Amino acid sequence: MTRKDELFDHAERIPVYLERLCYEQGINIEELSPEQLLSYCMGWELRTITHLLSWGHFETIFIENLSAQVGLGAKFLVFGVKQLTEALIHFLGDLDFQTVYVSHPISEARRKKELGGHWPEFIYQVNQLQKDAFDSKVVVVMPTAIDELRFSLRHIREHHPPQRTGALEERWPLIDDEDNLLYCRPDSALDSNYASLLMPKYWDFSSQKFVEYLQEDRSAPIIDSLLGVLVGEIEFQIATRDHVLVTHTDGLLVFRPLFSGRFTRGVSAEIDHWLSINQSGKEKRAAFVHWEEDIRLVLQRQGRKYVTRSVANEVINIIQNKYQISKGRIIKALISQEPVGSIDSILSAGAIHPATLKHIRDDMPKISREAKVNLLRGYLTGMVDIKPGLAGVWVLENYEAFKKALPQIANFLRDGSPVGNHWDEKINDLFPDFL
């Protein structure tokens, strides 16, 4: 029996559990209120799911340790079933294929669906990655192949924070037809999203079936509290599992991390884990892939004042290092004129020798460009401090351009070259007009 089937078969055991519980505690089942039955049913349900999650966690640890003890290059990978069967075949049978974990925003895509009523184009790009990477001899490992953290929130009471109701949101769409996946939906699963699986319900012994609990306002705090425990366990499992995937794949592909306007907490955590792996002495490369539109949107959202000041600060650093001018003198020059933060205030305040000032003026277009490149490189890599050559950056127009760049990206992750696609050559086009 698969873990998936066990996870959803637990409901069939609830009546037996209730009868045994009431017998052991001397409780008359017929005297239990719907609220008491609800508490018992949900308690059993969530405890069973938590135990199954815990069992899966320890199973992963055991197999990981076993593969390390076996040695001799024994392969280990947590492989979600909602991935292409062909991917597993390549992983097991083709030694010249490398495995690459893809890190990308997930929650933001869900939020956009909630606001717009449909999935954004971004998720279909993500879902296409695994199939498109085969030609470059890459098995892309998808984090959304296991999709548990999708609890719906509702405002039950006015002026109160939203609460979990037990309803589950729609799954991340499958990356292909089920015939091409390892996944096969159970015959009894009429709803592939299991949207109502954890909705408030209790076992009615007279009718011998589950009855929906309708007094939502009375049960909301209990339900939200019980589900909070399960959510905490799932969040722990996801963080642990995704870090295992980063550890045991050959490289990291950070795909459109600025789609959500910033590096999300989940993507940042996976990058941090990648950094820790490199700091431990094992070199593993990461390719950061961005769309031009994502970069422009982020810079525009930051606003004129913030971006201008950031570029000016970078100009200060470059001038200080190149011309050996003390930072104090540059800052004095910077703040002595209005507007504060402008490049001219650095040059025209009279705190720099005239000959040096002329060199700086002549060099300013190059310095300004270098400042923008340095600033944007930090944005594009999540401000990582990593050995040169281990982080490559690709700035592309769209998914078609990405498909053409895939062989280069695969080669970088495998051999270290090329380190990006010369995105710095179009730096001025990426920055807003006010710069």
Side-chain angles (χ1 to χ4, degrees):
M1 180 180 290
T2 67
R3 199 183 321 167
K4 172 191 62 186
D5 293 330
E6 286 187 309
L7 190 63
F8 299 117
D9 282 346
H10 69 270
E12 305 298 327
R13 296 192 282 271
I14 288 180
V16 177
Y17 160 75
L18 286 174
E19 289 178 338
R20 187 177 72 236
L21 178 69
C22 291
Y23 173 77
E24 291 174 350
Q25 298 186 6
I27 299 173
N28 186 344
I29 291 177
E30 296 179 356
E31 295 178 355
L32 293 176
S33 67
E35 287 78 16
Q36 290 172 311
L37 286 170
L38 171 70
S39 179
Y40 284 134
C41 287
M42 287 202 70
W44 162 263
E45 202 167 34
L46 299 178
R47 188 172 71 217
T48 302
I49 293 175
T50 302
H51 285 170
L52 290 170
L53 287 168
S54 179
W55 173 70
H57 173 63
F58 287 115
E59 178 189 45
T60 299
I61 294 174
F62 173 77
I63 300 300
E64 183 182 21
N65 288 335
L66 180 62
S67 70
Q69 292 171 25
V70 170
L72 300 176
K75 289 187 174 183
F76 167 79
L77 190 64
V78 179
F79 204 89
V81 294
K82 294 185 181 68
Q83 299 184 88
L84 294 171
T85 305
E86 185 179 352
L88 183 61
I89 293 172
H90 287 310
F91 169 69
L92 295 174
D94 293 325
L95 298 179
D96 56 342
F97 269 66
Q98 62 175 327
T99 55
V100 173
Y101 177 74
V102 58
S103 177
H104 63 81
I106 296 176
S107 299
E108 182 64 20
R110 289 194 174 282
R111 278 192 285 270
K112 287 184 180 294
K113 179 185 181 300
E114 184 177 345
L115 292 173
H118 56 83
W119 290 103
E121 183 65 23
F122 169 77
I123 71 107
Y124 300 105
Q125 295 170 356
V126 170
N127 282 0
Q128 195 66 25
L129 286 174
Q130 192 170 77
K131 181 182 292 184
D132 288 339
F134 289 150
D135 288 341
S136 299
K137 296 187 181 302
V138 172
V139 172
V140 172
V141 180
M142 313 291 293
T144 49
I146 309 172
D147 190 21
E148 317 101 313
L149 196 60
R150 48 193 182 90
F151 291 81
S152 178
L153 295 173
R154 274 188 57 196
H155 285 277
I156 305 298
R157 299 176 181 178
E158 192 174 0
H159 307 305
H160 283 73
Q163 294 179 311
R164 304 172 190 90
T165 63
L168 298 179
E169 295 177 347
E170 185 179 342
R171 286 186 186 276
W172 189 277
L174 296 177
I175 66 175
D176 207 334
D177 296 333
E178 285 189 19
D179 291 344
N180 299 324
L181 306 179
L182 292 165
Y183 173 71
C184 181
R185 188 191 309 177
D187 294 336
S188 59
L190 300 178
D191 173 19
S192 62
N193 295 305
Y194 294 100
S196 60
L197 177 71
L198 297 177
M199 288 293 288
K201 57 184 177 295
Y202 61 91
W203 183 258
D204 181 62
F205 284 92
S206 60
S207 63
Q208 290 292 297
K209 64 180 182 180
F210 283 105
V211 176
E212 183 180 0
Y213 185 82
L214 299 177
Q215 298 180 23
E216 193 176 55
D217 57 332
R218 296 177 58 181
S219 63
I222 298 174
I223 293 167
D224 184 62
S225 178
L226 289 170
L227 290 172
V229 176
L230 177 59
V231 168
E233 178 66 21
I234 291 176
E235 288 177 336
F236 167 75
Q237 294 265 337
I238 290 174
T240 303
R241 182 187 65 232
D242 289 353
H243 287 183
V244 166
L245 290 172
V246 173
T247 300
H248 289 280
T249 46
D250 300 317
L252 177 66
L253 172 61
V254 185
F255 185 77
R256 294 189 66 186
L258 297 178
F259 163 77
S260 59
R262 58 181 176 81
F263 279 71
T264 62
R265 184 177 62 177
V267 171
S268 295
E270 288 163 356
I271 293 172
D272 288 343
H273 187 62
W274 164 72
L275 283 170
S276 68
I277 292 171
N278 281 282
Q279 289 166 357
S280 69
K282 180 182 179 182
E283 290 193 351
K284 188 189 296 280
R285 299 180 187 87
F288 294 79
V289 174
H290 300 270
W291 271 206
E292 294 175 9
E293 64 182 85
D294 296 341
I295 297 170
R296 293 191 184 100
L297 183 60
V298 167
L299 292 173
Q300 288 170 1
R301 284 178 177 176
Q302 289 180 339
R304 175 192 297 266
K305 185 176 181 180
Y306 180 85
V307 175
T308 302
R309 182 185 298 138
S310 298
V311 173
N313 288 337
E314 191 59 40
V315 167
I316 291 173
N317 292 331
I318 294 171
I319 294 175
Q320 178 190 10
N321 294 329
K322 185 170 182 178
Y323 292 94
Q324 301 301 308
I325 298 173
S326 69
K327 194 168 185 178
R329 292 183 66 192
I330 296 177
I331 293 175
K332 179 182 177 181
L334 180 65
I335 65 177
S336 64
Q337 294 189 12
E338 294 294 337
V340 173
S342 70
I343 303 301
D344 281 345
S345 65
I346 301 173
L347 303 176
S348 304
I352 301 174
H353 190 278
T356 304
L357 179 61
K358 183 179 185 306
H359 283 297
I360 294 176
R361 284 190 182 279
D362 293 342
D363 212 17
M364 184 50 65
K366 183 179 178 181
I367 292 174
S368 178
R369 181 184 181 282
E370 185 181 347
K372 293 177 183 178
V373 170
N374 292 347
L375 181 66
L376 195 54
R377 183 181 289 110
Y379 289 163
L380 301 183
T381 58
M383 302 298 181
V384 300
D385 184 13
I386 192 72
K387 177 181 174 182
L390 293 180
V393 176
W394 275 260
V395 176
L396 303 164
E397 186 177 353
N398 51 37
Y399 191 80
E400 285 303 312
F402 168 74
K403 287 172 64 175
K404 293 178 181 178
L406 254 176
Q408 286 188 345
I409 296 171
N411 199 69
F412 163 74
L413 292 171
R414 182 181 288 108
D415 301 322
S417 178
V419 189
N421 69 332
H422 305 293
W423 55 270
D424 54 309
E425 294 177 357
K426 47 187 173 183
I427 188 69
N428 291 323
D429 292 335
L430 294 172
F431 269 79
D433 293 337
F434 54 72
L435 286 176

